[in-house]
Amino acid sequence: MGQRMIGIGLAWMLAVEVASVAAQATGTGVIKGQVVTGADRRPVAAALVRILDQHLSDQTHADGRFLIGRVPTGPRRVLVAAIGYRAAIATVEVPVNDTVAVDVVLSEAVLQLDEIVTTGTTGDQSRRDALSPTSVVSGAALDRQVDGTIAASLRHEPGVAMSGISPATAQPVIRGLGGDRVVVLQDGLRAGDLAATAADHAVSVDPLTAQRIEVVRGPMSLRYGSSALGGVVNVIREDIPASRPDEIHGTLSAQGTSVNRGGAVGGFALAPVGPFAVRMEGTFRKSGDTRTPVGRLVNTDQTAADVAAGLATVGRRGHVGASYRYYHNDYGIPGGFVGGHPTGVDIAMRRHTIRSSAEVHPGRGPWESVKADVGLTFYRHTEFEPSGAVGTLFKQTFLTGTVQTRHRGLLGGTGGALGVSGQYRFIRTGGTLRTPSTADYSVSGFAIEEYGSGPLRLQAGLRYDLAWYELRRTSFITIGTERVATEPRAFGSFSGSLGLLWEVAAGIKVGGSVARAYRTPDFNELYSNGPHLASNAYEVGDPRLDEEAGLGVDAFLRVDRERIHVELAGFSNRLSNYIFPSSRGRAVIGRQGGRPVFQFTNEGARFSGAEGVLSLGLTDRLALEATASYVAASFTTDRAPIPIIDPPDTTFVAASKYPPLIPPLFGNVELRYEQPRYFVGAGVRWAAAQNRLGDFETRTDGHAVGDVHAGVRLLLGGQFHTITLRIDNVANAEYRDHLSRIKEIEPNPGRNVSVLYRLTF
């Protein structure tokens, strides 16, 4: 069955490409121009010029000039953005088989308020017009924040916390929800790893070469799956080029870090090769053990590589292409803590991904675009005993595909999207893990429609998912005193959302949404039954688990004026049949190694809270930025006492009314001085104490940690150079994060001096 599904997927790739090439049409023009400063008319180099909703872009040269060909005729929105300047959006009428010239004037600005968002929308959209609380990390912000993992690179964003067992395994947590309730995408498709299934599994996406990272908070992103109760993180790279440049351009980056004596180099290049656009990328990362204020965190070294190549042919009305990406990550998990292997574990990850994408812009009628994406991933994850023997093994074949159309004027709406998607996954297990090899399938359809183009906008979305699991063998799981047979399961349900955005005054908007999200249990939650080496846990699934259903309500206020950006949001998510691993004491010594037992179970739960961000331009070049985030989570059902199984005795203790691993009140405040040529800033990351504790959790004290940064931007030889110096935890303070799985034995990393060099050409 798996081979047939892979064959169907590859055939789909070929069919999509042929259909896309056949669908190209005539009727295009050229946009050219120059980008200059408003103060003295100096050319602005390395500015991004992008045709919105068309995936066409160019980068200005040393003289500030740009040229974009094959632009569909008619009115087109042109975005121009450059580091240190306020972005500008102009509307240009593109003539048939002719050239239109446009000159763009940019003003210096310390705040970047016009980021473009594609995640969770029906097309390119300004962040200020998004119908969900949204963050974009790009340009100067990405240079200041980029770190070794996606989660660490997002630590300044509201609502986003970080959990993990080691620095390499950091995973994003949004509004207190983690795992597969936070969907991590790469160019709109799931990465195909197993990071969401366990705390010791790393996210297989490196942030160094990302163009931007988009974060949508809340369960509004029906395009990417119903399980995204917490939100979506989308890393934008454009592995498959959607436009053909006139000459080669790209970036080259190098970063060094003192806290782990590590370094990383990476870059990408996009070039015209005959009729094709070719993109090449590579990142290589190596680091030693992380150092804390009290000593070295043994066995936290890492060696990783991430390389990719993409090829596309770009026609007058669209593009079609394919890419290949290889990722490997060898990293260590420390030992000596409760729930950890006594002597540590070494993990080797390997991921191969083949992807094909095609998009057509018909140019007439109600259909703005038709896009198809297919991805095929082969993933291997091996956990080694200190002796070198394999302790736990996962192999995954992952095939996913989506076809989506964007339209305007249907059903009385101003725009919308329709789509279908499918997914096949086959997971094979080995080593001491006794979870049976499992295949799962899912199909879904979704529709999103927007109404209104003035001060009042409405978005409605509906999605239906059908998923089923097949086991390669039948086994039995002991749950309490019962022996439960594993068996195939099938799930299906609707999810939907309704969102509203109202501009009550110029630059002031209020919005709200209500959404029903739905999540099926994962294979390990259903069928796990054995020791997991890296987490030193004996994990027990429950084949009878019910699917989760979440009802979420959001309300937010957004202010976007020339020198101020404010976004305040409040939310409440009520989850029925919330699935989590409940502690059950220790397994039988001898037969199961005496490991802590975790039983996956259903409970009702509520997650409520608030978050906010303030960006204030005190002067043209001085800005104050602050964020704060809070979530309160509790179970809404009466939990039975927890049986502590420690043979030959079994005792019972009262179960906590709080879910585990919920972040406390946290945030940051920063003062920045920024010019186009240089910048400097200082800030404080802080967190309150966490006293609302899950089963067997311990209290975590509050903390405040100081950070500083500075940098220069230089135009040399027609190339744009940026050097960023960042010092995290300046005072080398000893503190512990509540979401750290190793806080009982080691504090968070100590002082870290990081230097990032980035060349844009």
Side-chain angles (χ1 to χ4, degrees):
M1 181 65 179
Q3 293 178 343
R4 292 200 301 272
M5 293 295 294
I6 294 172
I8 292 171
L10 295 175
W12 189 7
M13 291 182 187
L14 179 61
V16 164
E17 295 186 7
V18 173
S20 176
V21 173
Q24 304 303 311
T26 60
T28 64
V30 176
I31 299 178
K32 70 175 184 179
Q34 186 180 29
V35 180
V36 298
T37 64
D40 51 14
R41 309 295 292 185
R42 286 184 295 104
V44 178
L48 172 67
V49 183
R50 180 175 173 184
I51 313 300
L52 297 182
D53 293 325
Q54 296 296 318
H55 300 291
L56 297 172
S57 63
D58 193 16
Q59 187 173 282
T60 58
H61 307 300
D63 60 0
R65 298 191 180 277
F66 66 91
L67 185 146
I68 304 175
R70 298 181 177 180
V71 182
T73 59
R76 298 296 167 195
R77 293 183 300 153
V78 180
L79 167 74
V80 181
I83 292 177
Y85 298 89
R86 182 173 294 110
I89 298 179
T91 300
V92 178
E93 185 72 30
V94 181
V96 179
N97 299 324
D98 203 352
T99 300
V100 60
V102 55
D103 291 336
V104 180
V105 178
L106 297 183
S107 302
E108 293 185 8
V110 68
L111 299 180
Q112 304 296 314
L113 301 178
D114 290 303
E115 301 100 332
I116 295 300
V117 179
T118 61
T119 308
T121 70
T122 58
D124 290 343
Q125 193 172 76
S126 172
R127 177 203 47 77
R128 64 178 66 188
D129 293 326
L131 276 86
S132 294
T134 302
S135 301
V136 180
V137 182
S138 63
L142 187 58
D143 286 348
R144 293 193 303 268
Q145 295 178 212
V146 69
D147 215 306
T149 63
I150 295 296
S153 301
L154 296 175
R155 62 184 177 181
H156 291 288
E157 302 310 305
V160 183
M162 181 173 66
S163 69
I165 289 182
S166 71
T169 64
Q171 298 183 18
V173 173
I174 300 180
R175 295 181 169 181
L177 297 171
D180 69 348
R181 299 176 185 90
V182 174
V183 176
V184 178
L185 306 171
Q186 190 161 253
D187 286 338
L189 281 187
R190 298 185 184 231
D193 57 29
L194 291 174
T197 63
D200 58 284
H201 297 182
V203 176
S204 61
V205 180
D206 195 287
L208 187 63
T209 54
Q211 295 182 24
R212 67 184 187 276
I213 305 174
E214 300 179 356
V215 182
V216 179
R217 301 182 295 278
M220 280 285 287
S221 296
L222 299 180
R223 287 173 54 189
Y224 309 110
S226 60
S227 66
L229 282 76
V232 176
V233 176
N234 193 7
V235 181
I236 308 296
R237 280 196 170 89
E238 296 185 3
D239 275 355
I240 300 174
S243 61
R244 181 184 178 276
D246 290 324
E247 60 183 45
I248 186 171
H249 68 81
T251 66
L252 178 64
S253 305
Q255 186 174 32
T257 51
S258 67
V259 75
N260 54 14
R261 297 182 181 177
V265 294
F268 78 91
L270 179 64
V273 179
F276 299 100
V278 177
R279 186 182 187 277
M280 306 292 291
E281 179 194 317
T283 299
F284 303 91
R285 184 179 300 276
K286 186 174 180 60
S287 61
D289 289 341
T290 297
R291 287 163 173 77
T292 76
V294 299
R296 185 165 58 100
L297 186 55
V298 178
N299 202 42
T300 53
D301 57 322
Q302 179 186 19
T303 301
D306 190 10
V307 295
L311 174 75
T313 176
V314 182
R316 294 179 182 270
R317 289 289 179 181
H319 73 279
V320 59
S323 67
Y324 167 76
R325 179 173 290 273
Y326 169 72
Y327 177 87
H328 91 238
N329 191 358
D330 297 332
Y331 61 94
I333 299 293
F337 59 96
V338 176
H341 193 278
T343 57
V345 173
D346 294 319
I347 293 180
M349 291 172 50
R350 303 290 184 269
R351 178 169 70 90
H352 301 265
T353 298
I354 304 168
R355 179 171 176 174
S356 180
S357 178
E359 184 167 13
V360 177
H361 297 270
R364 57 179 61 91
W367 305 106
E368 290 189 338
S369 70
V370 180
K371 184 178 182 181
D373 283 293
V374 181
L376 175 62
T377 297
F378 301 97
Y379 175 86
R380 182 185 179 100
H381 174 110
T382 310
E383 302 174 4
F384 295 98
E385 298 272 8
S387 65
V390 174
T392 303
L393 173 67
F394 296 97
K395 293 181 181 180
Q396 175 175 262
T397 301
F398 183 79
L399 175 65
T400 183
T402 300
V403 177
Q404 175 182 287
T405 65
R406 290 193 297 113
H407 60 266
R408 57 183 179 273
L410 291 182
L411 302 176
T414 54
L418 300 171
V420 294
S421 62
Q423 177 179 300
Y424 163 76
R425 182 175 64 168
F426 179 43
I427 298 175
R428 288 151 288 177
T429 59
T432 59
L433 193 66
R434 296 206 297 269
T435 303
S437 297
T438 306
D440 65 76
Y441 312 81
S442 66
V443 293
S444 61
F446 61 88
I448 303 172
E449 195 68 36
E450 294 187 357
Y451 298 87
S453 57
L456 186 63
R457 292 174 50 220
L458 178 71
Q459 184 189 84
L462 186 66
R463 180 184 181 98
Y464 184 78
D465 286 84
L466 180 64
W468 61 100
Y469 293 84
E470 294 181 357
L471 289 84
R472 290 299 180 258
R473 62 178 174 83
T474 300
S475 60
F476 290 87
I477 298 177
T478 300
I479 302 175
T481 59
E482 297 182 72
R483 292 186 76 236
V484 180
T486 58
E487 57 184 14
R489 293 291 306 274
F491 303 90
S493 183
F494 282 98
S495 52
S497 63
L498 185 65
L500 180 72
L501 187 67
W502 179 30
E503 186 169 13
V504 297
I508 302 176
K509 298 177 181 179
V510 295
S513 65
V514 58
R516 182 190 189 274
Y518 154 83
R519 173 183 175 269
T520 64
D522 206 348
F523 81 101
N524 60 306
E525 296 169 340
L526 290 170
Y527 305 124
S528 290
N529 186 24
H532 187 166
L533 175 66
S535 59
N536 195 37
Y538 194 92
E539 298 175 350
V540 182
D542 188 343
R544 305 165 301 182
L545 286 175
D546 292 321
E547 66 270 20
E548 290 182 4
L551 182 62
V553 179
D554 270 72
F556 62 88
L557 166 69
R558 182 180 296 151
V559 179
D560 283 294
R561 296 285 181 88
E562 184 174 344
R563 287 192 175 180
I564 186 171
H565 165 63
V566 176
E567 187 165 282
L568 305 175
F571 61 91
S572 180
N573 297 321
R574 188 180 182 93
L575 306 179
S576 60
N577 299 319
Y578 175 68
I579 301 171
F580 77 106
S582 179
S583 300
R584 286 296 186 268
R586 302 191 70 82
V588 178
I589 296 175
R591 181 166 62 88
Q592 299 167 356
R595 294 180 172 90
V597 174
F598 292 92
Q599 166 74 63
F600 289 100
T601 186
N602 286 125
E603 297 287 353
R606 179 186 291 111
F607 290 71
S608 301
E611 64 210 11
V613 57
L614 166 68
S615 300
L616 180 63
L618 303 175
T619 69
D620 287 341
R621 295 178 174 138
L622 185 65
L624 175 69
E625 296 187 332
T627 68
S629 308
Y630 177 71
V631 58
S634 60
F635 291 113
T636 58
T637 52
D638 294 329
R639 299 180 61 205
I642 297 176
I644 305 300
I645 305 170
D646 196 357
D649 300 318
T650 298
T651 58
F652 291 84
V653 298
S656 172
K657 63 179 181 180
Y658 304 118
L661 296 173
I662 302 300
L665 173 68
F666 69 97
N668 65 80
V669 60
E670 181 178 77
L671 190 66
R672 289 193 294 111
Y673 181 84
E674 185 155 347
Q675 290 193 358
R677 293 183 178 87
Y678 66 89
F679 53 94
V680 63
V684 175
R685 288 176 286 128
W686 57 269
Q690 180 56 288
N691 298 306
R692 298 162 67 94
L693 307 177
D695 296 335
F696 307 111
E697 280 191 322
T698 57
R699 181 184 184 276
T700 307
D701 292 331
H703 64 264
V705 179
D707 303 327
V708 298
H709 71 265
V712 295
R713 305 184 185 104
L714 305 171
L715 184 64
L716 300 174
Q719 311 296 334
F720 195 65
H721 305 256
T722 304
I723 301 173
T724 304
L725 170 68
R726 192 179 78 219
I727 306 177
D728 300 328
N729 193 2
V730 173
N732 200 34
E734 181 180 339
Y735 72 100
R736 287 167 167 79
D737 192 307
H738 187 71
L739 270 60
S740 171
R741 304 294 184 105
I742 57 174
K743 67 174 184 175
E744 302 295 340
I745 62 164
E746 293 287 349
N748 280 60
R751 182 186 300 112
N752 179 36
V753 179
S754 168
V755 179
L756 173 71
Y757 166 75
R758 201 184 298 274
L759 166 66
T760 303
F761 57 90

